[in-house]
Amino acid sequence: MSTVESSKDVVSAASRLRRTAWYQQPRFVRLWAMVALGVLLALVTGEQGNTRDVFYSLKGSLFGPRLWVCLALTVGVWALREFAGRPIGGALKQARSGVGGPVAAVRGRIQADPRLRWGLIALALLLAIVVPSLLSRTWQTVLVDQIAIFALLAIGLNVVIGWAGLLDLGFFAFFAVGAYSTAFWTGRLPVEPPVVLNPFWVIPIAVVTCLITGVLLGAPTLRLRGDYLAIVTLGFHEIIYLVAKNADGITGGPQGARLIPDFSVDFLGIQFEWSIKPLPYWYLLLFFIVLVIVLFARLEHSRVGRAWTAIREDEIAAAANGVDTVRFKLMAFAIGASTSGVAGVIFTSKYGYINPEVFPLLQSILILAYVIFGGMGSIPGVLAGAAVLVWLPEVLRDYVDPADRYMYLGALLVIMMIYRPQGIWPSRRRQRELKAEDGAGGADAVAEPAGGKV
């Protein structure tokens, strides 16, 4: 055999190795994922098991109509996205190009005219003030106890994950720190405070406490990256939970803290006391959400925000260009944790009772899901993600078994991550990064962001 023929055989063998089988192509990989999701949905929403027949649940879930309904739903979503996505996307693109000129003109006018921009902001605030008063008492409670509280927490976690690129799986522990700070300074723990305060004046103390806790967590661990950092933050949550549960002489142990007083203001002749009604707490939370958004938006475009961006995109390159990565990552942890102090104080004062079971690990995972679902790095995105993912289980309350509601929520997250990983309202920077990851020459194609890919 000649040398030319031998080289041709080598090239042919190499081309066969590089060839992708049909079932490994992206379209079919997504199909297998959706089929697996359909089977999982059928299992988790199917028949409950019993002690008489070990395989009763499997037989009832996988050999009945439920499996085919679930497969029809998931495979139908896949087919719609794969085969009708391009025509629909083309039509939307054409429609967008048709209205692109007027929309761009309106956007340019809003950006150029501060009065118009502030007018729209004032209108949004007016709607946020007026609309909740028109809702039922049930939805007002959901708005305060879940949407507003978790929105405040999601804004803080967005600093850590969306801006600094640090994967934190124990963020809810800071919320517990804020809650127990409230119980301590109102004199409801076994340990007596130096002075008993109204919960309203505990807010700055709880914020500082969470800031210090974030520094204490970050100082010994932030030289870690990716999965290692995530495991450490997971352990931090468990430490806080176990201390709260077992330190009876400090935290009250499993019994927790009771009879925590409500908010009240008595300043310069102004007297007001918050009761069990949810609406006053909504206005208080709205004030703090707006304040945090303003401060964090300014921070994002500052020198600190640019340093976080550099660390997220490539920590090694950022350090080589003079960015003090450890210092700025500590700042991200501390500043992100500060919103948990505010949320913890308001939540604790409204309920008047806390114990360690209020702070399970699941809540940390849910906050992470809100940030990723809404759009990492985007403040409007994390607000929308928290609102949608809190609202959906409440809507399903009357139609789906309580044990299955979060299963449907998980299915929605899986579909979202397959077809829109940037979230429902992503930041422009995050969109550019994801496009660079898909391309061959993008920055993120050669270096993984600090903190790992989420």
Side-chain angles (χ1 to χ4, degrees):
M1 181 182 295
S2 65
T3 306
V4 175
E5 293 177 348
S6 177
S7 62
K8 286 182 179 180
D9 292 340
V10 172
V11 171
S12 177
S15 64
R16 284 196 300 271
L17 290 175
R18 289 195 301 267
R19 190 178 303 142
T20 302
W22 67 270
Y23 55 85
Q24 294 176 326
Q25 295 176 6
R27 170 176 291 179
F28 293 101
V29 170
R30 290 191 287 266
L31 173 61
W32 311 140
M34 298 302 284
V35 169
L37 178 61
V39 174
L40 181 63
L41 274 178
L43 285 173
V44 299
T45 61
E47 298 290 340
Q48 299 293 329
N50 59 51
T51 56
R52 296 187 302 273
D53 187 354
V54 177
F55 300 103
Y56 176 79
S57 178
L58 287 176
K59 290 187 291 186
S61 302
L62 298 182
F63 296 98
R66 182 180 297 272
L67 174 64
W68 300 109
V69 171
C70 293
L71 286 177
L73 287 174
T74 56
V75 175
V77 170
W78 171 83
L80 182 66
R81 176 62 178 80
E82 298 295 334
F83 300 106
R86 183 169 295 179
I88 294 175
L92 290 176
K93 186 176 181 180
Q94 186 175 1
R96 194 182 300 119
S97 63
V99 300
V103 169
V106 171
R107 185 185 296 117
R109 184 176 177 183
I110 292 174
Q111 294 175 349
D113 190 349
R115 293 175 298 178
L116 184 58
R117 184 167 63 251
W118 284 106
L120 292 175
I121 293 174
L123 177 61
L125 285 175
L126 181 63
L127 291 175
I129 293 172
V130 173
V131 171
S133 62
L134 306 177
L135 300 176
S136 65
R137 179 70 174 269
T138 301
W139 280 106
Q140 288 179 357
T141 303
V142 171
L143 190 65
V144 172
D145 295 354
Q146 299 182 53
I147 294 179
I149 291 290
F150 280 103
L152 199 53
L153 293 172
I155 293 172
L157 184 58
N158 182 57
V159 174
V160 182
I161 293 182
W163 293 350
L166 307 172
L167 183 55
D168 188 350
L169 297 180
F171 190 77
F172 205 66
F174 297 114
F175 180 74
V177 170
Y180 275 98
S181 298
T182 310
F184 172 73
W185 287 103
T186 54
R188 301 304 176 184
L189 291 182
V191 181
E192 291 294 330
V195 58
V196 177
L197 298 176
N198 181 286
F200 196 86
W201 306 114
V202 178
I203 290 178
I205 300 176
V207 170
V208 173
T209 304
C210 288
L211 282 168
I212 296 173
T213 306
V215 172
L216 292 176
L217 167 66
T221 61
L222 283 184
R223 295 188 184 276
L224 302 172
R225 280 191 276 174
D227 300 336
Y228 301 101
L229 177 61
I231 292 172
V232 169
T233 57
L234 190 66
F236 170 71
H237 182 282
E238 287 303 301
I239 289 172
I240 296 295
Y241 171 77
L242 291 175
V243 168
K245 189 172 184 178
N246 297 317
D248 294 8
I250 300 175
T251 63
Q255 295 183 353
R258 302 174 184 273
L259 302 178
I260 299 170
D262 296 324
F263 276 96
S264 62
V265 175
D266 188 357
F267 185 69
L268 297 177
I270 300 175
Q271 295 183 354
F272 184 79
E273 183 172 351
W274 278 255
S275 61
I276 61 173
K277 294 182 179 179
L279 206 55
Y281 283 97
W282 162 251
Y283 295 135
L284 182 64
L285 282 164
L286 180 63
F287 167 77
F288 281 109
I289 288 173
V290 172
L291 178 64
V292 167
I293 288 174
V294 172
L295 294 177
F296 282 13
R298 300 280 294 179
L299 188 65
E300 181 187 9
H301 300 288
S302 68
R303 178 174 175 268
V304 176
R306 291 194 295 272
W308 286 339
T309 301
I311 292 170
R312 183 186 72 245
E313 292 182 351
D314 195 323
E315 184 174 348
I316 297 174
N321 283 277
V323 177
D324 189 345
T325 57
V326 174
R327 175 189 168 206
F328 284 107
K329 288 197 291 186
L330 276 176
M331 291 178 64
F333 258 97
I335 294 172
S338 63
T339 63
S340 302
V342 179
V345 174
I346 296 176
F347 175 87
T348 305
S349 176
K350 182 179 184 301
Y351 271 87
Y353 167 73
I354 56 169
N355 69 355
E357 303 307 322
V358 178
F359 313 104
L361 180 62
L362 174 63
Q363 301 293 353
S364 290
I365 307 303
L366 283 177
I367 300 171
L368 177 64
Y370 299 157
V371 174
I372 296 175
F373 184 83
M376 290 188 296
S378 168
I379 292 179
V382 298
L383 293 175
V388 170
L389 293 187
V390 172
W391 167 81
L392 184 61
E394 294 299 323
V395 171
L396 296 176
R397 181 183 295 274
D398 297 331
Y399 308 101
V400 179
D401 187 89
D404 295 338
R405 286 203 298 267
Y406 284 99
M407 301 299 176
Y408 290 94
L409 188 64
L412 176 62
L413 286 172
V414 170
I415 295 172
M416 189 73 178
M417 291 304 101
I418 291 174
Y419 290 111
R420 191 174 174 82
Q422 68 267 33
I424 58 176
W425 193 333
S427 65
R428 294 181 180 179
R429 181 180 292 126
R430 181 62 181 165
Q431 284 181 306
R432 290 196 296 268
E433 289 176 359
L434 287 173
K435 289 179 181 178
E437 289 175 6
D438 293 335
D444 290 330
V446 293
E448 186 182 50
K453 294 181 182 179
V454 181

